[in-house]
Amino acid sequence: MNQFAKKYDLTGVQMSMIDYLSRCPEHRAPQKALENEFNIQRSTTTIILQRMEKRRLIVRQTNSQDRRIRDVQLTEQAVALIPVINDYINQHQKQLRQQFTSAELETVVKVLEALRRIDHE
């Protein structure tokens, strides 16, 4: 993913964050949602977002209903990358799925769900 992202002067994590935000209403989510989704610390998230902000891929704003919350929103520049990112992810997932049987994929999903539950306990 990093190799593909480099073509667009992005990192794999930045590309994943654009993908995540693209699936949120108005391409916006609280910073805490990104921390939870990617299981990364606030300080790491802040560094990634600062770099994305510098590249004009996102804007961060104080939430209008709770000033303690910082909302992250994609810019038009990042929105323009969504089709390219989606195409890459879909192609990559398709190739990955072809390596496994349906039963193997079901097992992987069950294991990942179990790990996620354990991690959130």
Side-chain angles (χ1 to χ4, degrees):
M1 187 177 248
N2 279 321
Q3 189 173 14
F4 177 83
K6 195 177 277 191
K7 295 177 189 177
Y8 298 92
D9 197 26
L10 298 170
T11 66
V13 171
Q14 290 172 338
M15 201 166 90
S16 295
M17 286 190 173
I18 291 170
D19 175 60
Y20 175 80
L21 289 167
S22 75
R23 292 179 274 115
C24 294
E26 299 178 17
H27 303 304
R28 173 191 301 252
Q31 180 172 329
K32 184 73 174 166
L34 292 166
E35 294 164 12
N36 292 338
E37 177 68 18
F38 295 97
N39 197 25
I40 51 179
Q41 295 179 348
R42 182 173 42 189
S43 58
T44 303
T45 307
T46 297
I47 291 167
I48 294 167
L49 294 177
Q50 284 173 340
R51 290 178 180 157
M52 291 178 75
E53 208 167 24
K54 191 174 183 177
R55 296 239 6 263
R56 295 187 173 103
L57 296 169
I58 56 127
V59 290
R60 290 187 294 167
Q61 302 165 333
T62 303
N63 183 289
S64 60
Q65 288 151 6
D66 189 339
R67 306 202 86 222
R68 297 169 295 175
I69 297 172
R70 297 277 296 197
D71 287 332
V72 179
Q73 184 171 16
L74 295 179
T75 63
E76 288 182 25
Q77 184 175 338
V79 170
L81 293 170
I82 292 171
V84 173
I85 292 170
N86 285 342
D87 186 49
Y88 171 80
I89 290 171
N90 290 336
Q91 288 295 106
H92 186 70
Q93 286 179 346
K94 183 179 176 182
Q95 290 172 349
L96 190 60
R97 284 188 184 117
Q98 290 174 348
Q99 305 297 315
F100 301 97
T101 66
S102 295
E104 289 171 331
L105 287 172
E106 284 181 37
T107 301
V108 168
V109 169
K110 287 179 184 178
V111 168
L112 291 174
E113 287 173 350
L115 289 172
R116 178 176 263 185
R117 281 193 303 273
I118 291 168
D119 191 43
H120 291 343
E121 288 179 353

